[in-house]
Amino acid sequence: MDRADRYRRQTVLPEIGEAGQRRFAAAHAVVIGLGALGSVTADLLARAGIGRLRLVDRDVVELVNLQRQTLYTEPDVDRPKAEVAAERLRATNGDIAIEGIAKDVHSRTVEDLVRSADVIVDGTDNLETRFLLNEVAVARSVPFVYGGAIATQGMVMSIHPPRTACFRCLTPKTPPPGTLPTCDTAGIFNALSSQVGSLQAGEVLRLLLGEPPSGDLLVVDGWIPEIQRIRVARRPDCPTCVRGEREYLGAKRSQVLASICGSDTISIDPVHRGPVDLDALGTRLGRLGAARRAGSVLLVDVEGHRVTVFADGRALIRGVADEAEARTIYAKYVGV
Ligand SMILES: [Zn+2]
């Protein structure tokens, strides 16, 4: 096959053309979160020939993800999503540069992760990370393509102030923790999450060609199905895109904890910690319980908890009731 032929079915589109394909090849997209939406978006962007793709996710693949997260298969369970997704997409398109980064996105990591991005894609599952991405996107004047999906309902919006409202204009107040439904409690219809991911990919491709953001919120009913457009106005007192406050970006935390989408898993990301020798740690912990490697991570089963340790010192701790218990397990088995 002539490799120049690879994009023929889209360069023939008058909306894209050869010039559009060159813009794709020169573009850098950062996808934050590789669940259902991020799987679909990253896959379509790789196939469309986006020249640089950075794929970021803090989590490992679980069997429950396979119902809708189309980049993963059964042998991938327990491996970091970012690593598996990068492998899969490198096999899909060897002509582009793909990075998989298994990191938590928070105020101390986000600037590095989105550096040089032409567009930031929201594949996250929580409001706090969306507010953070919204702030960093507004601060850098980079478009941010928001997407969300729960049960049979989804939303998509391209955000690029001052031409559009921002995510904070759309959601001015943070609801108290525990009041929002999560994919664990409300479920998710897999055809809907794929629709939302596809809409996001379409927005990204259009934005990279220099098309204006639609400025509308797309509200998707994946069951009926139906898509509505809702005009979202900028709020004249928006703390993020009008007043320039950096509430989430400026948050200083010495040790970062984040619970993962309604589950009993907590991610611990110690700030002052270097690389961990996972083989040595595996040998040490092997005496206490089952410890084994899964790709680039070490899995340890202790005291009824599954601890997934990453080479940079971060850990996912499953089966804990609260942050205090997660910190205790981390200190005891990984060390601080
Ligand atoms: Zn705003």
Side-chain angles (χ1 to χ4, degrees):
M1 185 192 73
D2 181 354
R3 294 188 88 87
D5 267 2
R6 141 170 241 142
Y7 304 114
R8 197 174 58 199
R9 298 290 160 83
Q10 69 186 29
T11 52
V12 78
L13 297 173
E15 291 84 354
I16 297 178
E18 296 289 345
Q21 194 62 47
R22 284 193 292 276
R23 291 183 85 145
F24 288 164
H28 183 200
V30 177
V31 182
I32 305 280
L34 299 166
L37 310 187
S39 280
V40 171
T41 314
D43 185 57
L44 291 174
L45 297 183
R47 289 173 194 277
I50 300 309
R52 283 178 68 199
L53 268 186
R54 176 173 283 176
L55 311 172
V56 185
D57 194 289
R58 65 186 175 190
D59 234 336
V60 294
V61 179
E62 293 183 63
L63 198 57
V64 72
N65 301 148
L66 300 189
Q67 170 251 3
R68 65 195 179 284
Q69 300 183 15
T70 53
L71 288 178
Y72 315 115
T73 56
E74 288 181 11
D76 302 324
V77 168
D78 291 332
R79 293 184 57 203
K81 288 182 182 178
E83 186 178 294
V84 177
E87 269 179 28
R88 184 73 29 88
L89 294 181
R90 279 186 203 116
T92 301
N93 190 345
D95 291 346
I96 60 173
I98 300 172
E99 276 177 289
I101 302 180
K103 268 197 178 194
D104 219 345
V105 178
H106 50 67
S107 59
R108 288 175 185 266
T109 56
V110 70
E111 302 251 30
D112 267 351
L113 291 171
V114 305
R115 204 176 298 282
S116 86
D118 296 311
V119 60
I120 301 169
V121 185
D122 174 22
T124 66
D125 57 8
N126 66 86
L127 277 180
E128 191 176 323
T129 313
R130 285 192 184 110
F131 283 129
L132 178 69
L133 292 174
N134 183 58
E135 281 186 6
V136 80
V138 169
R140 303 178 78 89
S141 198
V142 169
F144 171 50
V145 179
Y146 155 66
I150 191 97
T152 59
Q153 304 283 329
M155 284 192 267
V156 174
M157 185 172 151
S158 292
I159 291 165
H160 199 196
R163 294 200 284 182
T164 72
C166 80
F167 186 70
R168 192 69 183 268
C169 295
L170 177 68
T171 315
K173 293 223 166 21
T174 319
T179 54
L180 286 179
T182 70
C183 48
D184 270 19
T185 58
I188 183 155
F189 183 46
N190 69 2
L192 178 266
S193 48
S194 285
Q195 266 181 289
V196 171
S198 292
L199 285 169
Q200 284 182 280
E203 288 293 301
V204 170
L205 295 174
R206 283 191 334 97
L207 288 168
L208 290 177
L209 295 179
E211 297 282 330
S214 67
D216 292 334
L217 177 70
L218 304 177
V219 180
V220 186
D221 185 316
W223 191 258
I224 291 187
E226 186 178 47
I227 300 179
Q228 288 178 25
R229 302 180 75 104
I230 296 174
R231 187 89 206 139
V232 181
R234 285 183 84 195
R235 286 179 186 264
D237 61 343
C238 175
T240 305
C241 72
V242 176
R243 297 212 301 262
E245 292 169 15
R246 301 291 174 251
E247 193 182 329
Y248 290 83
L249 210 46
K252 297 279 179 280
R253 292 180 282 189
S254 57
Q255 189 180 41
V256 179
L257 291 126
S259 58
I260 290 174
C261 191
S263 74
D264 59 353
T265 300
I266 284 181
S267 167
I268 293 197
D269 193 357
V271 172
H272 304 292
R273 189 175 169 99
V276 174
D277 183 341
L278 292 181
D279 288 325
L281 184 65
T283 307
R284 187 151 52 85
L285 294 177
R287 298 183 205 113
L288 303 169
R292 67 180 171 90
R293 292 295 295 262
S296 65
V297 297
L298 178 73
L299 306 176
V300 189
D301 292 302
V302 281
E303 299 181 25
H305 305 288
R306 158 63 61 86
V307 184
T308 304
V309 189
F310 293 76
D312 65 356
R314 190 169 69 83
L316 296 174
I317 302 173
R318 196 186 301 166
V320 285
D322 53 32
E323 297 183 0
E325 193 182 5
R327 282 184 204 277
T328 305
I329 300 281
Y330 187 91
K332 204 164 157 187
Y333 295 103
V334 186
V336 285

